[in-house]
C-alpha cells in the first residue's frame, strides 16, 4: 500500500503540474449541448482538446469550425479550430493521448421510463481500452446517484488499472441552461465529487483552471449526482405546482399569471415558477424519473415527484382540450380545423426541441383530425415519431387561413403586432402578450 500511495501521489503531482502549465491534453466525449461548449472553453483556456463523437456530421462541422450549438460564440469555435487547439474525431484510440477526459453523453429514458445508461457504459468501455496511469476521467452526464461508482468505475477497471491509485475518477454534473445570456459553461459554479480525495483534488484543479465560476467539492460522486437530480426535481415540482394552479385558476376564471406577479412582490419565501404547455428539454422532464427508478431499489416511493410528473405530463392534453373549447365557442369542430402552432422549441429563443411539449400537442391535434401548421423562428424543420415536418413562415395570409393560432413557445422573433391584428382566435400558453397589444380574440392559459 505504501508503494501504491507513493505512486498515486506521483501521478497526482504530474497531472496537477500539467493543468497549471496548460500542457495537458483534454478529451471530451460527446459533442452536444454540454460537450461542445465545454470543449471550446477548455481550448480557450489554453489546453489542446480532442472531441469525440459518433456522429460524422458533428465531427466534420467542428473540424471545419462550423458551430451548431446556440450557446457558443461562432468565432470562438472557429478560432480554436484554426489555432489547432480543438479537433474532433470518431476514433476513441486518441484517448490514449489525453491526460483527462470528460464524458458528456446523453442519458435518456427508455420506453418504460427507466434510465438508459447505454451511452455512458459504452463511453466508459471505450475509455477503458485506452486508459493509462495518471489519467483523470470525469462523468458529466446527468444520471442517478451511484452511476459513477456502480457503472463507470468497474468499466474503467476492466483495463487492469485501479481507481484512486492508477487513475482518477470523479463526477461533475453539467449545468447547461440553453439560451441563458447571463450564466453559461464559463461562469456557472461547478460541483465536483471524486472517488477519493485525490480524485476530487485533480478534478477541482482542472475546472478551476478552465472556468470562471467557483468549484464546490463534495464528499463523493453520489452526492454530486444527487445534487444534480435535486436541482432539476426542485424545478420539476414547482413547475407542476404552477401548472396545477393554472388548471384551477382556469376553472375559477382567475388569471394565474397575475396571481404569480402579485406573489413575486413578497421579498422572501417565494420563488416564481410559471405554467406552460408542458415540460421540455433533456433535464426537467427526464432527470426526476432517474431518481424515482433508483428509489425503488431502496423500497422508497417518491410520491411527490411522481405526482408532479403526472401533472406536467397532462398539460399538452389540457392545451388541446382548450383549443377544442375555443373552437367550439365559434361553432367549429377541432376535426378539420386549421391550427397554426407557433413555437416548436421547448424554450424561448433556442433551437432545441428535445422533449418539447409542442411535439405532443401537434400529435394530439393530428390524432383528433386537425390540420396543423407549425412555425418556429429558430427551427426550419423537425422530426416527430419518425416523420419530418417543415416549419412555415408566419404571414398575414397564413394567419388568415387559420381557425386558431396557438403560441407554444414565445420566441422574440415572432411578429406580435401581426399576431395582434389577426382575426383568428389566439390561445397563448406562455403569456407572450403580457406587455403587448392583445389580439381581439385572446385566450390565456
Amino acid at each position: 500500500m505504501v508503494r501504491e500511495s507513493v505512486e498515486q501521489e506521483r501521478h497526482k503531482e504530474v497531472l496537477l503540474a500539467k493543468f497549471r502549465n496548460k500542457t495537458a491534453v483534454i478529451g471530451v466525449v460527446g459533442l452536444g449541448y454540454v460537450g461542445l461548449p465545454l470543449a471550446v472553453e477548455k481550448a480557450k483556456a489554453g489546453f489542446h482538446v480532442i472531441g469525440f463523437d459518433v456522429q460524422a456530421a458533428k465531427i466534420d462541422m467542428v473540424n471545419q469550425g462550423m458551430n451548431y450549438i446556440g450557446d457558443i460564440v461562432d468565432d470562438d469555435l472557429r478560432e480554436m479550430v484554426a489555432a489547432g487547439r480543438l479537433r474532433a474525431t470518431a476514433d476513441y484510440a486518441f484517448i490514449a493521448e489525453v491526460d483527462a477526459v470528460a464524458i458528456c453523453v446523453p442519458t435518456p429514458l427508455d420506453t418504460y421510463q427507466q434510465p438508459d445508461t447505454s451511452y455512458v457504459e459504452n463511453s466508459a468501455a471505450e475509455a477503458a481500452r485506452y486508459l493509462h496511469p495518471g489519467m483523470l476521467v470525469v462523468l458529466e452526464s446527468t444520471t442517478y446517484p451511484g452511476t459513477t461508482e456502480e457503472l463507470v468505475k468497474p468499466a474503467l477497471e476492466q483495463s487492469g488499472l485501479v481507481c484512486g491509485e492508477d487513475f482518477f475518477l470523479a463526477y461533475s454534473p453539467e449545468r447547461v441552461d440553453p439560451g441563458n445570456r447571463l450564466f453559461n459553461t464559463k461562469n456557472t459554479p461547478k460541483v465536483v465529487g471524486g472517488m477519493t480525495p485525490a480524485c476530487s483534488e485533480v478534478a477541482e484543479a482542472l475546472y478551476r483552471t478552465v472556468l470562471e465560476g467557483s468549484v464546490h467539492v463534495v464528499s463523493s460522486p453520489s452526492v454530486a449526482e444527487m445534487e444534480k437530480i435535486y436541482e432539476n426535481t426542485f424545478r420539476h415540482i414547482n413547475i407542476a405546482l404552477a401548472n396545477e394552479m393554472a388548471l384551477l385558476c382556469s376553472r375559477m376564471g382567475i388569471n394565474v399569471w397575475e396571481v404569480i406577479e402579485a406573489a413575486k412582490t413578497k421579498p422572501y419565501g417565494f420563488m416564481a415558477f410559471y405554467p406552460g404547455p408542458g415540460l421540455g428539454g433533456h433535464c426537467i422532464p427526464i432527470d426526476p424519473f432517474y431518481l424515482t427508478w433508483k428509489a425503488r431499489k431502496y423500497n422508497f416511493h417518491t410520491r411527490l415527484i411522481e405526482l408532479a410528473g403526472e401533472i406536467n405530463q397532462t398539460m399538452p392534453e389540457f392545451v388541446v382540450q382548450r383549443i377544442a373549447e375555443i373552437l367550439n365557442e365559434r361553432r367549429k369542430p377541432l376535426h378539420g380545423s386549421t391550427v397554426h402552432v407557433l413555437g416548436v422549441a421547448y424554450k424561448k429563443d433556442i433551437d432545441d426541441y428535445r422533449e418539447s411539449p409542442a411535439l405532443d400537442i401537434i400529435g394530439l391535434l393530428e390524432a383528433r383530425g386537425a390540420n396543423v401548421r407549425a412555425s418556429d423562428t429558430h427551427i426550419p424543420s423537425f422530426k416527430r415519431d419518425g416523420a419530418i415536418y417543415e416549419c412555415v413562415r408566419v404571414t398575414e395570409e397564413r394567419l388568415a387561413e387559420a381557425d386558431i393560432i396557438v403560441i407554444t413557445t414565445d420566441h422574440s422573433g415572432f411578429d406580435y403586432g401581426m399576431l395582434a391584428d389577426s382575426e383568428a382566435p389566439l390561445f397563448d400558453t406562455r403569456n407572450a402578450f403580457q406587455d403587448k397589444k392583445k389580439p381581439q380574440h385572446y385566450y390565456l392559459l
Side-chain angles (χ1 to χ4, degrees):
M1 288 298 296
V2 174
R3 182 191 63 80
E4 291 177 343
S5 296
V6 170
E7 188 71 7
Q8 177 201 54
E9 186 68 18
R10 186 182 70 83
H11 288 319
K12 185 184 76 172
E13 292 305 322
V14 168
L15 198 53
L16 290 175
K18 286 186 174 183
F19 291 159
R20 284 194 299 269
N21 59 31
K22 308 292 180 68
T23 59
V25 178
I26 311 296
V28 177
V29 178
L31 298 176
Y33 287 89
V34 176
L36 188 57
L38 183 63
V40 170
E41 290 302 331
K42 288 179 176 180
K44 287 171 62 180
F47 292 103
H48 176 70
V49 181
I50 304 174
F52 300 88
D53 206 283
V54 295
Q55 297 185 38
K58 286 184 177 179
I59 293 169
D60 290 342
M61 290 183 73
V62 170
N63 288 334
Q64 294 175 40
M66 297 173 60
N67 182 29
Y68 51 86
I69 300 294
D71 290 344
I72 296 175
V73 177
D74 293 351
D75 288 344
D76 286 349
L77 175 62
R78 191 161 41 246
E79 289 173 8
M80 292 303 99
V81 173
R85 292 214 295 268
L86 174 60
R87 63 187 175 93
T89 180
D91 188 354
Y92 282 84
F94 285 103
I95 288 179
E97 298 182 5
V98 308
D99 298 289
V101 63
I103 298 175
C104 309
V105 294
T107 48
L109 295 173
D110 63 19
T111 55
Y112 302 102
Q113 295 287 80
Q114 297 180 3
D116 177 3
T117 57
S118 60
Y119 297 97
V120 171
E121 294 178 67
N122 292 339
S123 297
E126 288 291 340
R129 295 175 60 193
Y130 308 102
L131 193 68
H132 52 81
M135 184 171 158
L136 167 66
V137 179
V138 182
L139 177 63
E140 289 216 8
S141 304
T142 303
T143 185
Y144 59 82
T147 302
T148 303
E149 185 171 1
E150 297 166 9
L151 295 182
V152 179
K153 177 178 175 285
L156 294 175
E157 289 186 332
Q158 288 294 311
S159 64
L161 301 179
V162 178
C163 178
E165 291 293 341
D166 301 312
F167 69 92
F168 305 99
L169 176 61
Y171 180 79
S172 182
E174 57 88 2
R175 282 174 161 174
V176 174
D177 184 18
N180 192 320
R181 300 307 176 197
L182 182 60
F183 290 104
N184 50 43
T185 300
K186 181 74 172 178
N187 63 5
T188 300
K190 259 295 195 178
V191 173
V192 171
M195 290 296 302
T196 66
C199 292
S200 293
E201 185 179 351
V202 294
E204 178 189 8
L206 173 60
Y207 287 113
R208 287 194 184 280
T209 304
V210 172
L211 307 178
E212 292 176 352
S214 61
V215 180
H216 181 84
V217 179
V218 296
S219 60
S220 69
S222 291
V223 171
E225 289 160 342
M226 180 64 90
E227 180 278 325
K228 172 61 177 178
I229 295 290
Y230 184 56
E231 285 180 24
N232 288 334
T233 300
F234 174 81
R235 295 169 66 190
H236 175 74
I237 290 173
N238 280 281
I239 291 171
L241 174 61
N243 280 331
E244 189 165 60
M245 287 292 290
L247 298 176
L248 176 60
C249 285
S250 177
R251 292 195 181 188
M252 298 177 70
I254 297 173
N255 185 328
V256 69
W257 305 91
E258 187 177 357
V259 171
I260 296 171
E261 289 303 308
K264 280 173 58 178
T265 63
K266 186 178 182 180
Y268 56 89
F270 180 80
M271 180 180 292
F273 287 82
Y274 298 94
L279 293 181
H282 176 263
C283 292
I284 302 178
I286 294 175
D287 296 351
F289 293 102
Y290 269 68
L291 189 57
T292 61
W293 175 83
K294 185 68 173 181
R296 293 189 192 105
K297 291 191 172 184
Y298 294 86
N299 196 31
F300 188 92
H301 296 282
T302 52
R303 291 172 292 175
L304 185 59
I305 297 174
E306 293 174 22
L307 180 58
E310 291 178 18
I311 294 169
N312 290 329
Q313 288 172 352
T314 62
M315 292 308 292
E317 295 179 4
F318 172 73
V319 169
V320 172
Q321 183 59 35
R322 283 292 294 131
I323 293 171
E325 292 170 356
I326 294 168
L327 287 170
N328 187 60
E329 291 176 10
R330 301 171 73 85
R331 299 182 180 180
K332 292 184 178 181
L334 178 56
H335 190 284
S337 290
T338 298
V339 182
H340 198 143
V341 174
L342 300 182
V344 177
Y346 77 86
K347 184 181 176 183
K348 180 179 180 178
D349 294 341
I350 66 171
D351 62 357
D352 189 353
Y353 63 90
R354 291 176 297 172
E355 308 295 329
S356 174
L359 303 181
D360 290 332
I361 291 168
I362 290 170
L364 291 168
L365 287 170
E366 290 183 336
R368 294 182 63 171
N371 301 314
V372 182
R373 289 177 177 170
S375 298
D376 194 290
T377 56
H378 290 73
I379 299 172
S381 64
F382 61 96
K383 186 180 294 186
R384 191 191 74 81
D385 289 345
I388 296 177
Y389 293 70
E390 298 293 333
C391 287
V392 301
R393 191 166 62 90
V394 180
T395 63
E396 292 180 354
E397 292 75 20
R398 287 195 174 108
L399 294 179
E401 294 169 356
D403 293 297
I404 186 170
I405 303 162
V406 184
I407 296 178
T408 48
T409 314
D410 51 335
H411 288 313
S412 300
F414 287 132
D415 187 337
Y416 290 96
M418 183 192 301
L419 294 173
D421 292 337
S422 175
E423 294 185 1
L426 190 147
F427 180 31
D428 183 0
T429 71
R430 298 285 190 175
N431 199 23
F433 283 85
Q434 179 181 15
D435 54 357
K436 301 177 181 68
K437 172 190 173 184
K438 293 178 174 58
Q440 180 180 357
H441 307 289
Y442 180 69
Y443 300 82
L444 186 59
L445 180 72

